[in-house]
Amino acid sequence: MALHCPECGFAAGEGANFCPKCGAYLAAAPATDDPTTATYAVAEGDDPGVVADVDAAPARGAVGASLVVRVGGGREGEAFPLDTERIAIGRRPESDIFLDDVTVSRDHALVVARSDGWHIDDLGSLNGTYVNRRRIDSALLGDGDEVQVGKYKLTFLAR
């Protein structure tokens, strides 16, 4: 029996935890203690088809935080270490995190290290930037937060 997504109405397969169309959590799916992202692609140079448990993941980059694609563009599991103080997200090929889709603005958002932690700032994008399904201008990121940029949903991992 198919489950219907409460966000978009898409009929997801039996046993699905997240909607394959929009990525929303399916509350009618078997309950889990933690509906956040559970896997990410292993380090560069390893087999890209292999995924690992997020809790077992080594700290990535000098500051130990990363954004991991959960849904979007066939890039699920791709990790972006936050290894500089400013990370540009956008459709511009020169962006630190290049997301090639028309739902993403050329200069969409900026992830910035500040004294109290990592913040994400929307750069006036057309479709907005969302943290935990709330549209933001600027937000402090916490471990496990869901960041949505266009059709991409990423999970923030603080290490």
Side-chain angles (χ1 to χ4, degrees):
M1 178 175 176
L3 298 172
H4 290 275
C5 175
E7 299 290 323
C8 70
F10 186 79
E14 186 175 340
N17 290 326
F18 296 94
C19 175
K21 183 175 181 183
C22 73
Y25 178 64
L26 301 174
T32 61
D33 292 334
D34 186 13
T36 59
T37 301
T39 60
Y40 80 103
V42 293
E44 185 177 333
D46 290 341
D47 183 340
V50 177
V51 293
D53 185 343
V54 168
D55 294 329
R60 308 268 323 238
V63 292
S66 60
L67 283 170
V68 180
V69 178
R70 194 183 89 214
V71 175
R75 296 174 65 178
E76 292 78 6
E78 188 172 345
F80 299 96
L82 304 181
D83 52 6
T84 62
E85 290 184 10
R86 298 168 60 90
I87 307 291
I89 301 173
R91 198 176 73 235
R92 188 178 305 279
E94 298 81 25
S95 298
D96 300 307
I97 300 176
F98 171 54
L99 302 175
D100 189 18
D101 188 76
V102 295
T103 62
V104 178
S105 295
R106 285 183 191 88
D107 297 307
H108 198 103
L110 189 63
V111 180
V112 181
R114 296 191 177 124
S115 60
D116 59 342
W118 287 99
H119 289 253
I120 186 163
D121 300 330
D122 184 78
L123 299 176
S125 64
L126 181 62
N127 291 321
T129 301
Y130 295 78
V131 174
N132 298 325
R133 299 189 183 185
R134 289 189 175 91
R135 190 169 182 155
I136 57 95
D137 289 323
S138 181
L140 174 63
L141 295 172
D143 191 39
D145 280 350
E146 177 188 87
V147 174
Q148 183 171 347
V149 176
K151 71 176 186 179
Y152 293 87
K153 291 186 180 181
L154 304 99
T155 299
F156 174 77
L157 299 177
R159 296 290 172 145

